[in-house]
Amino acid sequence: QVQLVESGGGLVQAGGSLRLSCTASGRVSSIYAMGWFRRAPGKEREFVAAIAWSGGSTGYADSVKGRFTISRDNAKNTVYLQMSSLKPEDTAVYYCALRKDYCSGYGCFSHSREYDYWGQGTQVTVSS
């Protein structure tokens, strides 16, 4: 089994910053990509950002482009999400996810159904 554990969530004022991290452990046989999703109260889970493990190409939701940066440390099986210029609309539980196998195209990373493992989530609250 593979376990994903997120950390770094908390309460921050609008305009502030937070950095989330997620580490994969257990039987991590391969990693093709890791991503971040979020779920706000009363809303469906939505894509935030993803990064390919080999090569490091990235993709972002339009709502976070220019404000969030995803990165990874391959040796540590860890993905990060640096969040800046935070808005109250960013308030949500943030989840990391891991896809094991190859795929091609933005849809491979932007849909939750394409991921194999999920973390428990970390709460991010942005106050105004």
Side-chain angles (χ1 to χ4, degrees):
Q1 298 183 21
V2 174
Q3 297 84 42
L4 301 178
V5 179
E6 304 100 332
S7 63
L11 175 64
V12 64
Q13 291 186 328
S17 299
L18 284 173
R19 191 179 80 151
L20 307 182
S21 63
C22 173
T23 298
S25 62
R27 291 194 170 190
V28 185
S29 60
S30 65
I31 302 175
Y32 182 69
M34 293 188 71
W36 290 94
F37 291 75
R38 66 187 183 185
R39 185 180 180 92
K43 296 184 178 181
E44 296 184 18
R45 181 177 292 178
E46 66 174 350
F47 172 74
V48 177
I51 186 166
W53 224 243
S54 179
S57 60
T58 59
Y60 297 91
D62 288 341
S63 60
V64 306
K65 284 182 179 178
R67 300 189 298 119
F68 292 10
T69 301
I70 189 170
S71 61
R72 91 282 196 213
D73 186 331
N74 298 60
K76 296 180 179 179
N77 287 345
T78 297
V79 64
Y80 305 93
L81 186 68
Q82 178 66 50
M83 305 184 295
S84 300
S85 301
L86 283 162
K87 305 174 181 180
E89 304 92 271
D90 296 317
T91 296
V93 177
Y94 284 71
Y95 301 88
C96 70
L98 183 156
R99 180 181 170 88
K100 297 190 299 181
D101 299 323
Y102 169 85
C103 67
S104 180
Y106 183 76
C108 294
F109 313 108
S110 61
H111 292 95
S112 60
R113 63 178 178 269
E114 299 295 339
Y115 289 84
D116 300 293
Y117 302 102
W118 291 84
Q120 295 298 113
T122 185
Q123 176 71 49
V124 172
T125 302
V126 184
S127 64
S128 59

